[in-house]
Amino acid sequence: MTRLHWAIRMLPALALILFLAAPANAQEQVPRVTIVATGGTIAGTSETRTSFQSYRAGQLPIEEMLADLQPEIGEVADVSTVQFDNRGSGGYEVADYYDLTFAVEEALETADAVVVTVGTTTMEEFAYWLDLTVQSPKPVVLTGAMRPWTVIGTDAHANLFNAITLAASGRTTCFGTVILMNDEIHAAKEAWKSDDYRMNTFISRLQGTLGYVDERDVRVFRAPPRIQRCDDPAQWRTPFDLSRVAKEELPRAEIVVGYQGAGPEAITAFHEAGVEGIVLAGGSPYFREAREAAEADGVIFRTQSRFRSGRDNLMPQKTRLLLLLSLAFTDDPDQVDEWFALYGAPEFDLADPPLTSNP
Ligand code: ASP
Protein backbone atom coordinates (compact mmCIF):
# COMPACT_ATOMS: atom_id res chain seq x y z
CA MET A 1 0.00 0.00 0.00
CA THR A 2 1.44 3.40 -0.96
CA ARG A 3 1.68 6.13 1.67
CA LEU A 4 -1.07 8.01 -0.14
CA HIS A 5 -3.46 5.04 0.02
CA TRP A 6 -2.65 4.55 3.69
CA ALA A 7 -3.34 8.19 4.44
CA ILE A 8 -6.69 8.06 2.61
CA ARG A 9 -7.76 4.91 4.53
CA MET A 10 -6.86 6.55 7.83
CA LEU A 11 -8.88 9.74 7.18
CA PRO A 12 -12.19 8.63 8.82
CA ALA A 13 -10.35 7.47 11.95
CA LEU A 14 -8.46 10.75 12.10
CA ALA A 15 -11.67 12.74 11.76
CA LEU A 16 -13.22 10.73 14.63
CA ILE A 17 -10.21 11.38 16.88
CA LEU A 18 -10.33 15.13 16.13
CA PHE A 19 -14.09 15.22 16.79
CA LEU A 20 -13.74 13.46 20.16
CA ALA A 21 -10.78 15.61 21.17
CA ALA A 22 -12.58 18.87 20.41
CA PRO A 23 -13.79 20.76 23.51
CA ALA A 24 -17.52 20.49 24.03
CA ASN A 25 -18.19 24.21 23.52
CA ALA A 26 -16.40 24.19 20.14
CA GLN A 27 -19.22 21.97 18.87
CA GLU A 28 -21.82 24.62 19.70
CA GLN A 29 -20.46 27.63 17.92
CA VAL A 30 -21.36 30.93 19.52
CA PRO A 31 -20.67 34.28 17.84
CA ARG A 32 -17.35 36.00 18.51
CA VAL A 33 -17.72 39.35 20.25
CA THR A 34 -14.84 41.65 21.14
CA ILE A 35 -15.21 44.23 23.90
CA VAL A 36 -13.21 47.40 23.31
CA ALA A 37 -13.05 49.00 26.76
CA THR A 38 -12.52 52.73 27.31
CA GLY A 39 -13.48 53.13 30.99
CA GLY A 40 -16.34 55.13 32.52
CA THR A 41 -18.58 54.36 35.46
CA ILE A 42 -19.15 50.83 34.25
CA ALA A 43 -15.49 50.16 35.11
CA GLY A 44 -15.78 52.21 38.31
CA THR A 45 -14.96 51.12 41.85
CA SER A 46 -16.56 52.38 45.06
CA GLU A 47 -15.44 52.46 48.68
CA THR A 48 -18.62 50.84 49.93
CA ARG A 49 -21.21 48.63 48.33
CA THR A 50 -23.73 51.45 48.60
CA SER A 51 -21.65 54.31 47.15
CA PHE A 52 -24.03 54.55 44.22
CA GLN A 53 -22.95 58.02 43.20
CA SER A 54 -19.52 58.54 44.76
CA TYR A 55 -16.93 56.32 43.14
CA ARG A 56 -13.94 56.41 40.81
CA ALA A 57 -14.74 55.80 37.15
CA GLY A 58 -12.43 53.88 34.82
CA GLN A 59 -10.66 51.59 37.31
CA LEU A 60 -11.37 47.92 36.63
CA PRO A 61 -9.71 46.08 33.75
CA ILE A 62 -12.25 44.71 31.30
CA GLU A 63 -10.82 41.18 31.67
CA GLU A 64 -11.79 41.22 35.34
CA MET A 65 -15.29 42.48 34.57
CA LEU A 66 -15.78 39.82 31.93
CA ALA A 67 -14.67 37.12 34.36
CA ASP A 68 -17.51 38.22 36.69
CA LEU A 69 -20.02 37.46 33.92
CA GLN A 70 -18.82 33.89 33.43
CA PRO A 71 -19.98 31.22 33.01
CA GLU A 72 -23.30 32.61 31.69
CA ILE A 73 -21.78 34.96 29.11
CA GLY A 74 -19.89 32.03 27.60
CA GLU A 75 -23.26 30.57 26.53
CA VAL A 76 -24.01 33.77 24.61
CA ALA A 77 -20.71 34.58 22.92
CA ASP A 78 -17.07 33.77 22.63
CA VAL A 79 -15.85 37.06 24.09
CA SER A 80 -12.40 38.60 23.81
CA THR A 81 -11.28 41.97 25.12
CA VAL A 82 -9.19 44.97 24.11
CA GLN A 83 -8.31 47.48 26.83
CA PHE A 84 -8.25 50.63 24.69
CA ASP A 85 -7.79 52.79 27.80
CA ASN A 86 -9.45 53.24 31.17
CA ARG A 87 -10.69 56.82 31.66
CA GLY A 88 -13.80 58.87 32.20
CA SER A 89 -15.48 59.71 28.91
CA GLY A 90 -14.82 63.44 29.34
CA GLY A 91 -11.06 62.71 29.25
CA TYR A 92 -11.12 61.73 25.58
CA GLU A 93 -10.32 63.98 22.64
CA VAL A 94 -11.10 63.83 18.94
CA ALA A 95 -7.62 62.37 18.32
CA ASP A 96 -8.61 59.48 20.64
CA TYR A 97 -11.87 59.05 18.75
CA TYR A 98 -9.80 58.65 15.60
CA ASP A 99 -7.77 55.84 17.22
CA LEU A 100 -10.93 54.26 18.62
CA THR A 101 -12.44 53.95 15.15
CA PHE A 102 -9.41 51.94 14.05
CA ALA A 103 -9.50 49.82 17.22
CA VAL A 104 -13.12 48.93 16.48
CA GLU A 105 -12.39 48.25 12.80
CA GLU A 106 -9.46 46.03 13.72
CA ALA A 107 -11.55 44.06 16.20
CA LEU A 108 -14.26 43.59 13.56
CA GLU A 109 -11.77 41.96 11.21
CA THR A 110 -11.98 38.79 13.31
CA ALA A 111 -15.03 39.29 15.54
CA ASP A 112 -18.67 39.05 14.47
CA ALA A 113 -19.53 42.13 16.51
CA VAL A 114 -17.99 44.65 18.88
CA VAL A 115 -19.14 46.08 22.21
CA VAL A 116 -17.52 49.35 23.31
CA THR A 117 -17.70 50.24 27.00
CA VAL A 118 -17.84 54.00 27.49
CA GLY A 119 -18.59 56.56 30.19
CA THR A 120 -22.10 57.89 29.86
CA THR A 121 -21.29 61.60 30.11
CA THR A 122 -20.30 61.82 26.44
CA MET A 123 -21.51 58.40 25.29
CA GLU A 124 -23.85 59.98 22.75
CA GLU A 125 -20.83 61.65 21.08
CA PHE A 126 -18.76 58.46 21.07
CA ALA A 127 -21.72 56.66 19.52
CA TYR A 128 -22.34 59.18 16.75
CA TRP A 129 -18.63 59.39 15.90
CA LEU A 130 -18.39 55.61 15.52
CA ASP A 131 -21.67 55.58 13.61
CA LEU A 132 -20.21 58.04 11.10
CA THR A 133 -16.73 56.54 10.79
CA VAL A 134 -16.79 52.75 11.21
CA GLN A 135 -16.83 51.24 7.73
CA SER A 136 -17.96 47.73 8.67
CA PRO A 137 -21.69 46.94 8.74
CA LYS A 138 -21.19 44.42 11.58
CA PRO A 139 -22.89 45.31 14.87
CA VAL A 140 -21.23 47.91 17.09
CA VAL A 141 -22.92 48.29 20.47
CA LEU A 142 -21.96 50.89 23.07
CA THR A 143 -22.74 50.44 26.71
CA GLY A 144 -21.90 51.94 30.09
CA ALA A 145 -23.52 52.30 33.47
CA MET A 146 -24.96 54.81 35.89
CA ARG A 147 -23.71 52.87 38.90
CA PRO A 148 -20.19 51.49 39.30
CA TRP A 149 -19.38 47.79 38.94
CA THR A 150 -18.89 47.30 42.68
CA VAL A 151 -22.18 48.44 44.28
CA ILE A 152 -25.28 46.41 45.03
CA GLY A 153 -28.03 46.86 42.47
CA THR A 154 -25.60 48.10 39.84
CA ASP A 155 -26.74 48.37 36.23
CA ALA A 156 -23.15 47.75 35.10
CA HIS A 157 -23.27 43.95 35.00
CA ALA A 158 -26.65 43.76 33.29
CA ASN A 159 -25.75 46.42 30.74
CA LEU A 160 -22.53 44.66 29.75
CA PHE A 161 -24.28 41.29 29.61
CA ASN A 162 -27.12 42.68 27.50
CA ALA A 163 -24.80 44.60 25.19
CA ILE A 164 -22.90 41.40 24.45
CA THR A 165 -26.19 39.56 23.95
CA LEU A 166 -27.37 42.21 21.50
CA ALA A 167 -24.05 42.28 19.63
CA ALA A 168 -23.94 38.48 19.41
CA SER A 169 -27.49 38.33 18.07
CA GLY A 170 -26.41 40.13 14.87
CA ARG A 171 -29.79 41.87 14.90
CA THR A 172 -28.25 45.32 14.47
CA THR A 173 -26.16 44.45 11.41
CA CYS A 174 -26.26 47.49 9.09
CA PHE A 175 -27.81 49.67 11.83
CA GLY A 176 -24.50 51.47 12.39
CA THR A 177 -23.62 52.06 16.03
CA VAL A 178 -26.29 51.60 18.67
CA ILE A 179 -26.40 52.15 22.43
CA LEU A 180 -27.63 49.51 24.86
CA MET A 181 -28.49 50.93 28.27
CA ASN A 182 -31.15 49.91 30.77
CA ASP A 183 -32.35 47.08 28.45
CA GLU A 184 -33.12 49.63 25.70
CA ILE A 185 -31.57 49.90 22.25
CA HIS A 186 -30.99 53.44 20.93
CA ALA A 187 -29.79 54.69 17.55
CA ALA A 188 -26.51 56.63 17.77
CA LYS A 189 -27.98 59.68 16.14
CA GLU A 190 -31.02 59.86 18.41
CA ALA A 191 -29.65 58.90 21.84
CA TRP A 192 -29.46 61.57 24.49
CA LYS A 193 -28.33 61.37 28.12
CA SER A 194 -31.15 63.14 29.87
CA ASP A 195 -30.28 62.77 33.56
CA ASP A 196 -27.05 62.64 35.58
CA TYR A 197 -28.25 60.07 38.12
CA ARG A 198 -31.10 57.88 36.93
CA MET A 199 -30.58 54.52 35.27
CA ASN A 200 -33.18 55.27 32.58
CA THR A 201 -31.17 58.31 31.55
CA PHE A 202 -30.85 57.52 27.82
CA ILE A 203 -33.77 58.51 25.68
CA SER A 204 -34.35 58.91 21.98
CA ARG A 205 -36.56 61.95 21.88
CA LEU A 206 -39.05 62.21 19.01
CA GLN A 207 -37.99 58.94 17.35
CA GLY A 208 -38.17 56.47 20.23
CA THR A 209 -36.07 53.45 21.14
CA LEU A 210 -35.24 50.80 18.54
CA GLY A 211 -36.06 47.87 20.79
CA TYR A 212 -35.21 45.96 23.95
CA VAL A 213 -33.07 43.17 25.29
CA ASP A 214 -35.25 41.13 27.60
CA GLU A 215 -33.05 38.46 29.15
CA ARG A 216 -31.71 36.57 26.09
CA ASP A 217 -34.57 37.81 23.93
CA VAL A 218 -33.53 40.61 21.57
CA ARG A 219 -36.61 42.51 20.36
CA VAL A 220 -36.16 45.02 17.54
CA PHE A 221 -39.11 47.13 16.40
CA ARG A 222 -37.47 49.68 14.11
CA ALA A 223 -34.14 50.43 12.40
CA PRO A 224 -32.14 53.51 11.37
CA PRO A 225 -32.80 54.43 7.71
CA ARG A 226 -29.31 53.42 6.57
CA ILE A 227 -30.38 49.78 6.85
CA GLN A 228 -32.04 50.34 3.48
CA ARG A 229 -28.57 50.38 1.88
CA CYS A 230 -27.44 47.12 3.51
CA ASP A 231 -27.27 45.28 0.19
CA ASP A 232 -24.96 47.90 -1.28
CA PRO A 233 -21.93 48.39 1.00
CA ALA A 234 -20.57 51.33 -1.01
CA GLN A 235 -23.85 53.19 -0.42
CA TRP A 236 -24.20 51.98 3.13
CA ARG A 237 -20.83 53.36 4.22
CA THR A 238 -20.43 57.05 4.92
CA PRO A 239 -17.72 59.02 3.09
CA PHE A 240 -15.87 59.47 6.39
CA ASP A 241 -13.27 56.75 5.89
CA LEU A 242 -10.55 57.82 8.31
CA SER A 243 -7.88 55.80 6.50
CA ARG A 244 -7.99 58.62 3.95
CA VAL A 245 -7.16 61.38 6.41
CA ALA A 246 -4.27 61.79 8.87
CA LYS A 247 -5.09 62.30 12.53
CA GLU A 248 -3.10 65.54 12.57
CA GLU A 249 -5.18 66.88 9.68
CA LEU A 250 -8.51 66.67 11.47
CA PRO A 251 -9.92 70.21 11.58
CA ARG A 252 -11.25 71.95 14.66
CA ALA A 253 -14.96 72.55 14.98
CA GLU A 254 -16.51 74.24 18.01
CA ILE A 255 -19.89 75.16 19.46
CA VAL A 256 -21.12 78.62 20.42
CA VAL A 257 -24.32 78.78 22.45
CA GLY A 258 -26.84 81.47 21.63
CA TYR A 259 -28.93 83.03 24.38
CA GLN A 260 -30.63 86.29 25.11
CA GLY A 261 -28.17 89.08 24.28
CA ALA A 262 -25.19 86.71 23.65
CA GLY A 263 -22.12 88.64 22.52
CA PRO A 264 -19.94 87.90 19.46
CA GLU A 265 -16.61 87.43 21.29
CA ALA A 266 -16.62 83.63 21.35
CA ILE A 267 -17.08 83.50 17.56
CA THR A 268 -14.24 85.98 17.04
CA ALA A 269 -11.96 84.04 19.39
CA PHE A 270 -12.61 80.73 17.63
CA HIS A 271 -12.13 82.40 14.25
CA GLU A 272 -8.78 83.85 15.34
CA ALA A 273 -7.72 80.48 16.78
CA GLY A 274 -8.07 78.91 13.32
CA VAL A 275 -11.24 76.92 13.97
CA GLU A 276 -12.68 75.77 10.62
CA GLY A 277 -16.26 75.07 11.60
CA ILE A 278 -18.62 76.60 14.16
CA VAL A 279 -21.98 75.27 15.28
CA LEU A 280 -24.32 77.93 16.57
CA ALA A 281 -26.59 76.32 19.13
CA GLY A 282 -29.20 79.02 19.06
CA GLY A 283 -28.59 82.53 17.81
CA SER A 284 -28.18 86.16 18.78
CA PRO A 285 -28.48 89.41 16.82
CA TYR A 286 -24.94 90.23 17.99
CA PHE A 287 -23.42 87.26 16.14
CA ARG A 288 -23.90 88.67 12.65
CA GLU A 289 -20.75 90.74 12.10
CA ALA A 290 -18.40 88.24 13.73
CA ARG A 291 -19.97 85.46 11.69
CA GLU A 292 -19.58 87.35 8.42
CA ALA A 293 -15.93 88.08 9.17
CA ALA A 294 -15.28 84.40 9.90
CA GLU A 295 -17.19 83.26 6.81
CA ALA A 296 -15.10 85.61 4.68
CA ASP A 297 -12.09 83.54 5.83
CA GLY A 298 -13.79 80.27 4.94
CA VAL A 299 -15.16 79.26 8.36
CA ILE A 300 -18.29 77.16 7.87
CA PHE A 301 -21.27 77.63 10.18
CA ARG A 302 -24.19 75.39 10.99
CA THR A 303 -27.10 76.61 13.08
CA GLN A 304 -28.78 74.16 15.39
CA SER A 305 -31.51 74.21 17.97
CA ARG A 306 -30.42 74.48 21.60
CA PHE A 307 -33.14 72.01 22.45
CA ARG A 308 -31.75 68.97 20.65
CA SER A 309 -34.81 68.69 18.54
CA GLY A 310 -36.34 70.47 15.61
CA ARG A 311 -36.10 69.44 12.01
CA ASP A 312 -33.33 66.84 12.24
CA ASN A 313 -33.23 66.12 15.98
CA LEU A 314 -29.42 66.42 15.90
CA MET A 315 -28.05 67.88 19.11
CA PRO A 316 -25.29 70.53 18.89
CA GLN A 317 -22.55 68.13 20.09
CA LYS A 318 -23.37 65.69 17.30
CA THR A 319 -23.76 68.50 14.77
CA ARG A 320 -20.23 69.54 15.67
CA LEU A 321 -18.88 66.02 15.03
CA LEU A 322 -20.61 65.81 11.65
CA LEU A 323 -19.28 69.26 10.73
CA LEU A 324 -15.76 68.33 11.86
CA LEU A 325 -15.79 65.12 9.82
CA SER A 326 -17.29 66.88 6.80
CA LEU A 327 -14.55 69.51 6.90
CA ALA A 328 -11.91 66.78 7.15
CA PHE A 329 -13.02 65.58 3.71
CA THR A 330 -14.12 68.75 1.88
CA ASP A 331 -14.01 72.53 2.02
CA ASP A 332 -16.95 72.87 -0.35
CA PRO A 333 -19.98 74.24 1.57
CA ASP A 334 -22.41 72.61 -0.88
CA GLN A 335 -20.88 69.21 -0.20
CA VAL A 336 -21.19 69.87 3.54
CA ASP A 337 -24.89 70.67 3.02
CA GLU A 338 -25.36 67.45 1.09
CA TRP A 339 -23.71 65.35 3.79
CA PHE A 340 -25.79 67.03 6.47
CA ALA A 341 -28.93 66.08 4.56
CA LEU A 342 -27.75 62.49 4.13
CA TYR A 343 -26.20 61.80 7.53
CA GLY A 344 -27.61 64.50 9.80
CA ALA A 345 -31.23 63.91 8.80
CA PRO A 346 -31.42 60.48 7.11
CA GLU A 347 -34.83 59.27 5.99
CA PHE A 348 -36.23 56.09 4.52
CA ASP A 349 -36.56 56.26 0.75
CA LEU A 350 -40.10 54.96 0.36
CA ALA A 351 -40.14 55.47 -3.41
CA ASP A 352 -37.36 52.95 -3.96
CA PRO A 353 -37.20 50.64 -0.99
CA PRO A 354 -34.50 48.01 -1.65
CA LEU A 355 -35.59 46.13 1.46
CA THR A 356 -38.90 45.21 -0.13
CA SER A 357 -37.44 44.36 -3.52
CA ASN A 358 -36.93 40.71 -2.55
CA PRO A 359 -40.11 38.64 -2.73
N1 ASP B 1 -20.33 59.61 35.05
C1 ASP B 1 -19.74 59.06 33.91
C2 ASP B 1 -20.32 57.72 33.55
O1 ASP B 1 -21.48 57.54 33.73
C3 ASP B 1 -18.28 59.01 33.93
C4 ASP B 1 -17.83 59.00 32.52
O2 ASP B 1 -18.52 59.51 31.67
O3 ASP B 1 -16.79 58.42 32.26
O4 ASP B 1 -19.71 56.83 33.05
Side-chain angles (χ1 to χ4, degrees):
M1 191 186 314
T2 65
R3 271 193 202 167
L4 182 65
H5 283 116
W6 182 85
I8 291 170
R9 287 185 64 173
M10 290 306 285
L11 272 178
L14 198 64
L16 183 67
I17 291 167
L18 286 177
F19 176 77
L20 292 175
N25 61 3
Q27 291 166 31
E28 292 165 29
Q29 285 263 325
V30 285
R32 287 162 303 173
V33 174
T34 299
I35 308 174
V36 178
T38 76
T41 296
I42 192 167
T45 52
S46 54
E47 269 184 25
T48 75
R49 295 208 311 140
T50 53
S51 305
F52 299 119
Q53 284 145 5
S54 42
Y55 54 84
R56 294 181 62 197
Q59 301 295 310
L60 288 171
I62 189 64
E63 269 297 324
E64 226 173 276
M65 295 156 65
L66 181 62
D68 285 346
L69 301 186
Q70 298 290 8
E72 292 86 350
I73 201 65
E75 295 162 15
V76 173
D78 175 4
V79 189
S80 57
T81 63
V82 173
Q83 188 75 57
F84 179 80
D85 209 318
N86 215 349
R87 295 184 235 164
S89 60
Y92 284 90
E93 297 177 13
V94 169
D96 301 311
Y97 276 19
Y98 180 95
D99 293 338
L100 184 62
T101 297
F102 288 105
V104 170
E105 292 279 14
E106 196 184 320
L108 287 173
E109 279 171 22
T110 49
D112 297 309
V114 158
V115 168
V116 186
T117 53
V118 178
T120 58
T121 303
T122 59
M123 184 185 281
E124 56 215 14
E125 289 170 74
F126 273 82
Y128 194 51
W129 174 274
L130 292 175
D131 192 46
L132 291 173
T133 58
V134 170
Q135 301 289 302
S136 167
K138 290 180 182 177
V140 177
V141 180
L142 263 61
T143 196
M146 296 303 289
R147 292 178 173 172
W149 193 263
T150 48
V151 294
I152 54 174
T154 181
D155 54 337
H157 302 193
N159 284 347
L160 185 56
F161 194 96
N162 284 349
I164 295 168
T165 303
L166 175 61
S169 77
R171 295 285 299 279
T172 61
T173 301
C174 284
F175 277 38
T177 300
V178 299
I179 287 178
L180 185 288
M181 289 284 292
N182 202 39
D183 307 338
E184 294 173 348
I185 309 165
H186 297 268
K189 181 183 157 274
E190 312 302 336
W192 174 42
K193 183 176 177 180
S194 65
D195 193 288
D196 263 351
Y197 286 126
R198 308 298 154 229
M199 289 192 284
N200 61 348
T201 178
F202 278 89
I203 57 174
S204 291
R205 275 180 67 191
L206 306 185
Q207 314 296 338
T209 53
L210 300 176
Y212 305 103
V213 177
D214 289 329
E215 295 198 4
R216 309 271 173 105
D217 194 9
V218 175
R219 306 169 70 215
V220 177
F221 303 112
R222 64 178 96 221
R226 71 188 298 192
I227 197 171
Q228 252 191 321
R229 304 282 161 244
C230 197
D231 288 346
D232 184 351
Q235 288 288 317
W236 183 85
R237 287 191 288 266
T238 71
F240 310 124
D241 173 2
L242 294 180
S243 65
R244 292 172 41 223
V245 63
K247 184 162 54 173
E248 303 68 37
E249 282 166 16
L250 288 173
R252 276 187 67 191
E254 302 286 345
I255 303 170
V256 172
V257 179
Y259 44 87
Q260 207 70 53
E265 290 84 356
I267 295 175
T268 305
F270 281 141
H271 171 200
E272 287 173 357
V275 166
E276 290 170 49
I278 297 178
V279 175
L280 298 179
S284 162
Y286 304 110
F287 284 171
R288 195 158 53 94
E289 264 178 44
R291 175 177 178 160
E292 283 169 2
E295 278 175 333
D297 281 343
V299 179
I300 296 196
F301 283 76
R302 302 291 310 185
T303 303
Q304 192 54 267
S305 162
R306 291 186 307 179
F307 302 110
R308 309 172 167 106
S309 65
R311 196 176 171 274
D312 52 18
N313 202 25
L314 196 64
M315 63 171 59
Q317 301 91 304
K318 294 182 191 176
T319 309
R320 175 252 184 173
L321 291 178
L322 181 53
L323 182 58
L324 188 158
L325 283 167
S326 299
L327 296 176
F329 289 85
T330 189
D331 50 16
D332 173 0
D334 292 338
Q335 180 65 79
V336 175
D337 281 348
E338 194 180 309
W339 286 341
F340 263 82
L342 275 173
Y343 306 109
E347 290 179 35
F348 277 94
D349 181 357
L350 299 179
D352 179 22
L355 278 181
T356 59
S357 62
N358 292 332

